[in-house]
Amino acid sequence: MAEFDLIDRIRARAVVRDDVVLGIGDDGAVLQVPPGRQLVVATDTLNSGVHFPVDTAPADIGWKALAVNLSDLAAMGAEPAWCTLSLSLPEPDEQWLDGFLDGFGELATLHGLALVGGDTTRGPLSISVTLHGLVEPGRALRRDAAKAGDDVWVTGTLGDAAAALALLQERHTPALAMVCEAGPMLPAAAGQESAARALHEQLQARLDRPVPRVAIGRTLQGIAHAAIDLSDGLLSDLGHICAASGLGAEVDLDALPASAALRDAFQPPRRHALQAIGGDDYELCFTAPPKMAGRIETIAADAGVPITRIGRIVPGDRVRALQPDGQDWVPPRTGYTHFQD
Amino acid sequence: MAEFDLIDRIRARAVVRDDVVLGIGDDGAVLQVPPGRQLVVATDTLNSGVHFPVDTAPADIGWKALAVNLSDLAAMGAEPAWCTLSLSLPEPDEQWLDGFLDGFGELATLHGLALVGGDTTRGPLSISVTLHGLVEPGRALRRDAAKAGDDVWVTGTLGDAAAALALLQERHTPALAMVCEAGPMLPAAAGQESAARALHEQLQARLDRPVPRVAIGRTLQGIAHAAIDLSDGLLSDLGHICAASGLGAEVDLDALPASAALRDAFQPPRRHALQAIGGDDYELCFTAPPKMAGRIETIAADAGVPITRIGRIVPGDRVRALQPDGQDWVPPRTGYTHFQD
């Protein structure tokens, strides 16, 4: 592995920031945290075949490796500043690396994020990113600060990434496809192939290129009580807020926001399953007192991103998903398997 | 993968520090950098079968994953503060994890280092650590600050880890063993088995449990001009100082410090090769003006670790290893292969 060639390629494309005293190329980076700011650190690893399908385009892997970490910072209400990248590659591959850095760099540039260090090693394809952000003291959004009576909100729409993954798995797994016969699928009648393809591409883009809600996370400081980003699935992740806050939650299934593509491709109950327990959304879920509803609607309008009230924080320790008739919804046991751990 | 069980196990054993505002268990950690300090960040990944033999004990892997990063901080002259850990495991394995955390935690405790976050994922065994340290502004040791006329120094002794790896590879590779017949080997005469075993264990300990020179790195502030930690091999790593500083270096082969075990096990020219181009030493190599020799000797005496002058920085752009007769030494092409990238 020509580690130093790879590092040179990476360095040539890094964003420049004044607060980077010493960047890539030494044993460590030296960084100047501005006075009056706390440091927020998040780290996530993506492994080939576990966190993304093995045939994912390198640029999409680069984008996603950064996006999942930016999503963590967004959920903390932090402003992205610097990151390190550890890249394990089976063999040196300049073309792959250039593609990867295209996607990684595109998102880093959008957020003014400087790559300040890392290492490249030989090994099964794996990408580990550690992201550093800044936050005003005491203003970070936490999981443990929900209050009974809070509304529960989510940004964007839910279930698209899980839908794309389900379609991918069904294409490759005839047995699974049979299970899926139970629910309506993509429009497959004659003449509808192109519509089906367009639908699939819209869903796939949400799996490959999640958009971290960094700006929204920043504006939620002082408005949201608790926040988390949705990576494992809504009910599971909301459960972490509840566990940390010592409370329960009720979620209205019918209120879960769905994209037009998801509505076209999947009807309930499969759609509800994709939205409630599918993963890889990388949207924010947060709680806020009801009096903040107006300000949250303004934030949504300013950002051009829907933010939807989907339930409420209640006493107790359960996360309940409720059907329109008030009955508890029981997640189906089959249909797709979650790709990510 | 029961990610949250693993994280709970990790959290239960983390060092506690007052400057950790929010540790493991949220989307990110919140950390308070003290006023008047800059942040130093280093990251390194270890992959099974690449950076350590697949049969390495979990506790040794845990120790080493942290040690290689602490060694980077040492080379920056920084004080360790916080770290994150990304762990990919083929399957959840509590026994393995406990062993890993024993070694990791032992070294973290020695340095008052708090584990503040990370993630556990399913994948081929891989450990990625990002380490955060603190340094007084402008006092970090860099690679690009060597001056012509500086002495070149190394801490500890060189070549033990590479010797252990060579012995390991020779045991597993008959073809390599044949190559090695050229140089004297372990004492293998009748009655000497136990001596050979003791020797091997001493060398192996240097491969499995490198001791990062953190305290020495701290005291070199204001004394050393440039510094690097030795991971790829002396001549290669000193080459990075020279390239960054726009200078050359001369190294006196006979001056390279060797442990008693290495002297017993390997005679020149193999010993010289292990010391000059073998990797995994995790000692510090630094340059300093000749007038600092007395202070460096005091640091060595205080630390109880030898620090040896091995050469000098010269104009030019080559790193030359010199034999006692002043002739250039040419590294042998065979004998062992470097395990690490």
Side-chain angles (χ1 to χ4, degrees), chain B residues 71-244:
Chain B
S71 184
D72 281 325
L73 278 201
M76 301 299 294
E79 180 191 350
W82 318 294
C83 68
T84 60
L85 166 66
S86 283
L87 188 57
S88 292
L89 281 176
E91 53 193 33
D93 181 336
E94 291 188 2
Q95 198 178 346
W96 189 94
L97 188 72
D98 281 340
F100 176 87
L101 291 176
D102 282 344
F104 192 93
E106 188 180 345
L107 190 55
T109 302
L110 280 175
H111 292 279
L113 181 75
L115 181 64
V116 297
D119 75 334
T120 58
T121 53
R122 184 162 51 84
L125 179 57
S126 175
I127 306 105
S128 188
V129 173
T130 302
L131 198 52
H132 299 78
L134 302 169
V135 72
E136 297 76 7
R139 304 273 284 178
L141 303 173
R142 308 166 55 128
R143 297 182 180 180
D144 61 2
K147 305 260 184 264
D150 277 358
D151 292 325
V152 177
W153 300 79
V154 292
T155 62
T157 61
L158 303 179
D160 285 5
L165 200 52
L167 292 174
L168 206 67
Q169 291 179 329
E170 284 155 19
R171 204 171 55 199
H172 293 304
T173 315
L176 257 176
M178 287 179 59
V179 171
C180 298
E181 296 288 323
M185 290 290 299
L186 290 179
Q192 291 190 297
E193 287 84 358
S194 68
R197 196 160 47 239
L199 263 186
H200 198 156
E201 281 167 7
Q202 288 170 50
L203 297 172
Q204 187 70 34
R206 294 291 306 276
L207 178 65
D208 292 338
R209 296 254 175 169
V211 176
R213 303 302 187 188
V214 175
I216 293 175
R218 297 285 294 152
T219 60
L220 288 176
Q221 283 188 2
I223 292 175
H225 278 155
I228 193 169
D229 86 308
L230 298 180
S231 55
D232 295 335
L234 172 67
L235 297 184
S236 169
D237 289 322
L238 178 55
H240 296 318
I241 285 183
C242 289

Side-chain angles (χ1 to χ4, degrees), chain A residues 157 188 331:
Chain A
T157 62

Side-chain angles (χ1 to χ4, degrees), chain A residues 25-50:
Chain A
D26 213 301
D27 292 294
V30 181
L31 306 166
Q32 184 67 54
V33 175
R37 290 289 183 281
Q38 290 178 331
L39 182 70
V40 178
V41 178
T43 193
D44 254 319
T45 296
L46 271 63
N47 293 328
S48 180
V50 179

